[in-house]
Amino acid sequence: MMKILITGANGLVGKKLTRKLASNKNLEVIATSLKKIYVEGATTFTSNLLNADINHMVDDIHPDIIVHCAALSSPDACEVDRFACHRMNVELTKKIVSACIDYHVHLIFLSTDFVFDGTKGNYLEDDDPNPVNYYGESKLEAERLITTSGVSSTIVRTSLVYGFEPKLSRPNILTRVIENLEKGKAYKVPSDQIRTPTYAEDLAWALEQVCLNKIAGTFHVSGQEVTTVADFAKQVARAFNLDENLINPVSSSELNEAAPRPRNTSLQLNKFKSAINYNPTPIELALNKILNYRIQIQT
Ligand SMILES: NC(=O)c1ccc[n+]([C@@H]2O[C@H](COP(=O)([O-])OP(=O)(O)OC[C@H]3O[C@@H](n4cnc5c(N)ncnc54)[C@H](OP(=O)(O)O)[C@@H]3O)[C@@H](O)[C@H]2O)c1
């Protein structure tokens, strides 16, 4: 039976993936997170990976695959604490790469559309990266150390992942819109940032396929509709029957965030689509599914 170790299992991507893989009876799933979590069908344990003996952990578990989702994933947090960002996104990845080489483990690394500068859009995997913020720089540095190390690997670059899970440690665009609008609060969103938002369940499905088919290389895996963050936020408001007039589209400069954001990081999916039969859920349908899931788990 294939054994898969997932890091960052309390994050949006890690949690969806742990659930997805744990429901596959042909996989043995071990998931680690900072805070204790319970996922039916998976073995979970807590670990601060920054203090862990990664070699010992990998030797002990001996997985076939590690899906490394743990990261400092807030661009603003990375910008203000570059040291912490480098430690988490680069140095930890380096230790994981080294353990994967020693124990013959395939590594799946979650990377980002923020490796691009956003001047072009519709990015291909081979387009030149040129990050505009430190988060993007750190993920690119991690990508490069993976690809030059010789480790068996898959790099999955994704974009603006949205979804709902109870007790998520970090909000995402969807939960932010809902939280603000349900309280009747106006919410400022950038009208000049163009993305291909990713339904978290689609990403989990795609990662499962990567595991099952041992697909190696660098791939763009996101949704396929190109939209501004503001238009996406309005779509969320409409789907959740909230007042879309509370969405306040502003330019990025008005948001005054610590990390600069790339303008258009929409991703081209053809390479991944030809590797597997990937057909991302249309946003409108995905939002309806999330609405139903939220009702189902809250009742
Ligand atoms: N979400 C997006 O839009 C997006 C877009 C592009 C790429 N990505 C990449 O996809 C991956 C997953 O993203 P995500 O949205 O699921 O991020 P997330 O919600 O922030 O999850 C990252 C997880 O890493 C954990 N973590 C942080 N420091 C740790 C440590 N020292 N030891 C152990 N675990 C630690 C966090 O634990 P706590 O929960 O306890 O803080 C968190 O659960 C990341 O690599 C991210 O860079 C995400």
Side-chain angles (χ1 to χ4, degrees):
M1 196 187 279
M2 196 192 285
K3 199 192 261 191
I4 301 178
L5 171 63
I6 300 168
T7 70
N10 196 32
L12 176 60
V13 177
K15 205 169 219 175
K16 292 286 184 194
L17 180 66
T18 304
R19 276 198 209 296
K20 179 91 190 135
L21 298 188
S23 68
N24 183 333
K25 298 282 171 272
N26 297 316
L27 300 175
E28 183 180 349
V29 180
I30 301 173
T32 180
S33 55
L34 264 177
K35 279 171 232 127
K36 180 128 193 73
I37 58 161
Y38 172 77
V39 178
E40 200 182 326
T43 304
T44 59
F45 68 99
T46 56
S47 171
N48 182 339
L49 295 173
L50 290 176
N51 303 331
D53 182 338
I54 300 296
N55 248 30
H56 182 262
M57 182 180 83
V58 175
D59 183 23
D60 204 35
I61 298 170
H62 241 107
D64 298 288
I65 297 175
I66 294 178
V67 189
H68 183 35
C69 300
L72 200 60
S73 60
S74 154
D76 296 323
C78 287
E79 205 69 23
V80 296
D81 193 345
R82 290 180 173 218
F83 176 80
C85 174
H86 196 267
R87 207 171 156 221
M88 187 64 205
N89 292 354
V90 182
E91 286 160 41
L92 172 61
T93 306
K94 200 173 189 175
K95 287 187 197 164
I96 293 178
V97 166
S98 159
C100 285
I101 292 172
D102 287 352
Y103 298 100
H104 306 287
V105 180
H106 182 85
L107 174 64
I108 300 176
F109 177 71
L110 269 293
S111 190
T112 171
D113 54 343
F114 280 20
V115 296
F116 297 114
D117 62 17
T119 52
K120 172 181 163 283
N122 200 27
Y123 283 102
L124 296 164
E125 286 79 354
D126 289 341
D127 280 330
D128 286 340
N130 182 33
V132 300
N133 58 38
Y134 195 69
Y135 166 68
E137 267 181 49
S138 71
K139 296 299 267 192
L140 180 60
E141 195 178 337
E143 280 193 12
R144 285 184 170 151
L145 75 86
I146 292 167
T147 49
T148 55
S149 70
V151 70
S152 165
S153 67
T154 319
I155 292 171
V156 171
R157 293 187 186 135
T158 191
S159 170
L160 197 68
V161 185
Y162 63 94
F164 178 80
E165 275 293 330
K167 295 187 195 154
L168 276 179
S169 57
R170 202 169 71 91
N172 60 75
I173 176 74
L174 175 129
T175 58
R176 281 203 177 103
V177 168
I178 296 172
E179 250 183 65
N180 281 281
L181 270 51
E182 277 185 343
K183 289 180 193 145
K185 281 172 46 183
Y187 182 52
K188 280 187 189 175
V189 272
S191 56
D192 53 1
Q193 290 174 24
I194 299 165
R195 305 284 181 259
T196 34
T198 310
Y199 179 36
E201 304 284 354
D202 283 346
L203 181 58
W205 182 88
L207 290 167
E208 182 183 29
Q209 295 307 309
V210 171
C211 291
L212 296 175
N213 299 296
K214 285 240 171 121
I215 298 167
T218 299
F219 294 94
H220 290 172
V221 182
S222 67
Q224 62 190 352
E225 285 150 275
V226 179
T227 174
T228 66
V229 179
D231 285 343
F232 179 73
K234 285 184 187 170
Q235 245 182 306
V236 173
R238 284 195 295 275
F240 281 76
N241 267 320
L242 296 163
D243 181 2
E244 72 173 282
N245 295 318
L246 289 170
I247 299 292
N248 183 6
V250 295
S251 69
S252 299
S253 57
E254 274 178 71
L255 286 170
N256 246 327
E257 290 169 307
R261 300 299 201 272
R263 199 182 68 81
N264 181 352
T265 58
S266 52
L267 299 176
Q268 243 274 15
L269 306 178
N270 284 351
K271 185 178 174 194
F272 193 60
K273 281 183 166 184
S274 52
I276 64 154
N277 191 15
Y278 179 60
N279 192 14
T281 312
I283 293 173
E284 208 174 314
L285 179 58
L287 294 175
N288 269 314
K289 288 181 177 218
I290 297 169
L291 178 70
N292 289 331
Y293 177 63
R294 192 166 172 254
I295 293 168
Q296 185 194 320
I297 55 177
Q298 284 178 342
T299 48

